[in-house]
Amino acid sequence: MPMFVWTYATCALSSFINGGFESGNYLGWTRGGGTRTSLLSSQIKPQEFLPGGSFYNPSIASTQSSIVTNGLDPILKNLMANIVQNGTRSLQIGDAARTGDLSVASQSISNYFCDNMFFAWLAVFEDGNHTSEESSLIVVELKDLTQGDTPINKTYTASSATAGVDPGFQSATVLSRKYYYTPGWRVENLNLGVNRRGHNFSLSIAVADCFQRGHLGYVYLDSFGGIVP
Ligand SMILES: [Ca+2]
Ligand SMILES: [Ca+2]
């Protein structure tokens, strides 16, 4: 059998559980959450908000994320794409309440043979006119449990200085509140390279309201897997 066929087959067998949330529940996923109002953006570590972590609050974890079905975002409506990227369901991390909270979803994957991890996201951030350290944000953290390091730790902060996270964000004012949002789904590619094949990983995506409890941030996630969605 040619090597590339073997690699592809092994990759297909080692992917996420319920990576598209089509089970309609949290099968394969761990939810976390807690209050971030004592933490600046650069101090946030998703793991501290998961069960066992010092900021973990089970009530926030279980109520501020939800599985959603096809439809439009309740605030931005048709300015954004359908809130499901693939199939009939996606995961919303964070809610529309302005409570200074953080929500996180995490999955551990054993013997992962793909060279990439893909997922798709759609974000809504309210403009708080804060510094990036006090704004709503997304943190994407990938730990390599086999090697004991963190190859990916990305932060997407919604500050007014950058008019959202980057130039691909758009802004709109709805009921006197200003939002930054992604008009269409974005595909994130976490490139692991070939040296981590077969390792065990833990992937966490955290989304926080602003530090001052005045502004919301939430993100829809779908299509986690080893192949481009
Ligand atoms: Ca889906
Ligand atoms: Ca919230």
Side-chain angles (χ1 to χ4, degrees):
M1 182 187 286
M3 181 59 86
F4 74 91
V5 173
W6 162 250
T7 302
Y8 179 82
T10 313
C11 169
L13 290 172
S14 68
S15 199
F16 289 79
I17 296 167
N18 192 22
F21 308 97
E22 298 300 309
S23 309
N25 56 30
Y26 302 96
L27 178 72
W29 294 90
T30 300
R31 282 181 294 169
T35 299
R36 63 90 37 131
T37 51
S38 61
L39 297 173
L40 295 174
S41 297
S42 59
Q43 296 172 318
I44 289 173
K45 295 188 175 68
Q47 207 154 28
E48 294 183 338
F49 292 83
L50 287 166
S54 49
F55 288 93
Y56 177 63
N57 175 323
S59 153
I60 292 172
S62 63
T63 59
Q64 296 192 13
S65 296
S66 53
I67 305 283
V68 298
T69 53
N70 282 293
L72 295 176
D73 177 75
I75 297 174
L76 292 157
K77 303 202 163 73
N78 59 13
L79 293 174
M80 281 173 79
N82 191 305
I83 60 173
V84 172
Q85 196 234 8
N86 237 310
T88 60
R89 293 180 175 89
S90 69
L91 173 67
Q92 178 180 350
I93 306 188
D95 66 5
R98 299 169 174 95
T99 48
D101 293 327
L102 178 150
S103 296
V104 53
S106 181
Q107 181 160 154
S108 294
I109 312 117
S110 299
N111 305 316
Y112 190 73
F113 274 94
C114 306
D115 297 337
N116 300 75
M117 285 186 185
F118 295 97
F119 63 91
W121 57 282
L122 197 62
V124 177
F125 286 128
E126 193 174 348
D127 178 19
N129 204 18
H130 302 313
T131 64
S132 62
E133 281 286 24
E134 297 191 354
S135 296
S136 305
L137 77 159
I138 310 175
V139 181
V140 177
E141 183 186 73
L142 180 74
K143 287 184 178 295
D144 182 333
L145 304 175
T146 303
Q147 197 155 304
D149 64 355
T150 305
I152 289 162
N153 188 354
K154 291 185 176 186
T155 300
Y156 300 90
T157 306
S159 75
S160 347
T162 49
V165 170
D166 59 43
F169 272 66
Q170 294 196 0
S171 66
T173 301
V174 180
L175 299 175
S176 307
R177 290 184 174 268
K178 186 174 177 187
Y179 298 92
Y180 296 119
Y181 63 95
T182 48
W185 283 86
R186 291 184 168 200
V187 173
E188 187 79 21
N189 176 5
L190 308 181
N191 183 256
L192 306 174
V194 298
N195 295 327
R196 297 177 188 269
R197 282 179 187 162
H199 288 194
N200 300 335
F201 295 96
S202 171
L203 178 66
S204 299
I205 321 281
V207 180
D209 293 331
C210 84
F211 176 91
Q212 298 173 3
R213 300 175 193 262
H215 306 93
L216 64 79
Y218 58 84
V219 173
Y220 301 99
L221 296 167
D222 204 356
S223 309
F224 285 83
I227 317 166
V228 65

